[in-house]
Amino acid sequence: MDTQRGLGSRRRLLLGLGAPLLLGAAGLGYTLWPEEEASEKVRTDVAPLNRRFWTALGDVSEAHWLGYGIDESGGGRSVPRPDSRMRLVGVARLKQGTASRIMRDPAHHFEEGPLEGLPAPLKPYAPSSAAWKQSLTYDKVALEEGLGVVPSGTFRFDGIRDLVYFDYVFLYT
């Protein structure tokens, strides 16, 4: 009987000390585990961009872009936030002549528009010698036509290289 009682108290002692130590070690391992930031992974797939921007740009190719939640802290290990806005930002190639055709539209006045807020992982894909042009009226029309979401953002075009830079925020539903 005394042997059993001693065994039970040892188990309680081991559980009392072991559980917190085990939980602490698991928490430390979770915190120190190397992980790539969700917002730092440059994507190259064009299908999502073509679905999202087709009415504004036509088909895009050779895309380099990031897509992430506005409130994302990176790593995807946080409690989901009520803000469901998504940001798509990147550089893509348009079909030959598309950028020039868009910029010649008399309904939109295009002027020089430097890239502001370009995330560091995308800098290698945005030529520093590009002549980026923007139009606030084009942005407004392009973002309202057929996208079916509440968007905001901007497009910049380089007519020489047929490149488009997009920085676009929409309500994810």
Side-chain angles (χ1 to χ4, degrees), residues 39-95:
S39 62
E40 297 293 315
K41 185 177 180 195
V42 176
R43 296 178 61 173
T44 58
D45 50 329
V46 296
L49 300 178
N50 284 329
R51 280 192 303 273
R52 176 72 53 197
F53 297 133
W54 190 84
T55 58
L57 303 172
D59 288 326
V60 301
S61 63
E62 297 180 44
H64 296 90
W65 60 285
L66 304 171
Y68 53 91
I70 293 295
D71 284 342
E72 230 177 62
S73 60
R77 291 193 267 163
S78 61
V79 176
R81 302 236 170 54
D83 189 349
S84 60
R85 291 177 299 158
M86 296 295 291
R87 181 182 183 204
L88 302 179
V89 58
V91 178
R93 185 164 310 282
L94 300 172
K95 284 187 177 180

Side-chain angles (χ1 to χ4, degrees), residues 49-168:
L49 300 178
N50 284 329
R51 280 192 303 273
R52 176 72 53 197
F53 297 133
W54 190 84
T55 58
L57 303 172
D59 288 326
V60 301
S61 63
E62 297 180 44
H64 296 90
W65 60 285
L66 304 171
Y68 53 91
I70 293 295
D71 284 342
E72 230 177 62
S73 60
R77 291 193 267 163
S78 61
V79 176
R81 302 236 170 54
D83 189 349
S84 60
R85 291 177 299 158
M86 296 295 291
R87 181 182 183 204
L88 302 179
V89 58
V91 178
R93 185 164 310 282
L94 300 172
K95 284 187 177 180
Q96 186 174 0
T98 301
S100 297
R101 180 184 47 77
I102 290 172
M103 291 189 298
R104 280 193 311 265
D105 187 336
H108 311 294
H109 175 70
F110 279 87
E111 53 191 33
E112 287 186 32
L115 301 186
E116 297 170 352
L118 180 67
L122 294 175
K123 287 185 179 179
Y125 309 107
S128 59
S129 61
W132 298 107
K133 300 205 178 226
Q134 71 174 8
S135 166
L136 299 177
T137 58
Y138 179 82
D139 291 345
K140 185 174 190 242
V141 171
L143 293 172
E144 287 177 0
E145 289 182 0
L147 296 179
V149 292
V150 181
S152 65
T154 187
F155 294 101
R156 305 276 196 283
F157 296 95
D158 175 29
I160 296 169
R161 294 175 184 84
D162 273 311
L163 292 177
V164 61
Y165 164 78
F166 53 91
D167 193 345
Y168 172 76

Side-chain angles (χ1 to χ4, degrees), residues 19 32 36 111:
L32 297 176
E36 188 175 353
E111 53 191 33

